[in-house]
Amino acid sequence: MAQKFFSKEDFVKNTQEQYHVEYTSQEIGEGSNLTVEKKNENGEYEVVQAQIHRHDGQIFIVWSEPFEGRLIFEK
């Protein structure tokens, strides 16, 4: 399993007042199973059900506020 870490600073606010992190399909792969984990106050990761959108070769992880976390996927 491969993983990509992201920080609060990686999030961008969109027009729907939500935040997203963006990856390309080349980074993650087509049809990969994606798991989003959020780092909690103890420094441990917990699985969250974030919205994931794919559009024109881009993958967007959407959440209501920025957070520290990681994306786990099969490469």
Side-chain angles (χ1 to χ4, degrees), residues 11 14 18-21 50-53 60-64:
F11 280 84
N14 65 23
Q18 295 177 318
Y19 293 86
H20 71 267
V21 176
Q51 294 180 36
I52 299 174
H53 301 282
F60 300 92
I61 310 300
V62 182
W63 198 254
S64 59

Side-chain angles (χ1 to χ4, degrees), residues 4-60:
K4 293 268 187 191
F5 292 89
F6 53 85
S7 67
K8 291 179 181 181
E9 293 79 22
D10 295 329
F11 280 84
V12 176
K13 194 172 191 177
N14 65 23
T15 57
Q16 288 83 29
E17 299 296 314
Q18 295 177 318
Y19 293 86
H20 71 267
V21 176
E22 182 177 344
Y23 295 100
T24 65
S25 294
Q26 286 113 0
E27 290 177 279
I28 306 301
E30 285 291 326
S32 290
N33 291 328
L34 304 177
T35 302
V36 179
E37 294 185 333
K38 183 177 180 181
K39 188 184 264 187
N40 64 24
E41 57 276 349
N42 297 329
E44 299 172 348
Y45 289 95
E46 54 190 42
V47 175
V48 295
Q49 290 190 319
Q51 294 180 36
I52 299 174
H53 301 282
R54 295 177 188 257
H55 181 69
D56 288 337
Q58 302 295 96
I59 300 168
F60 300 92

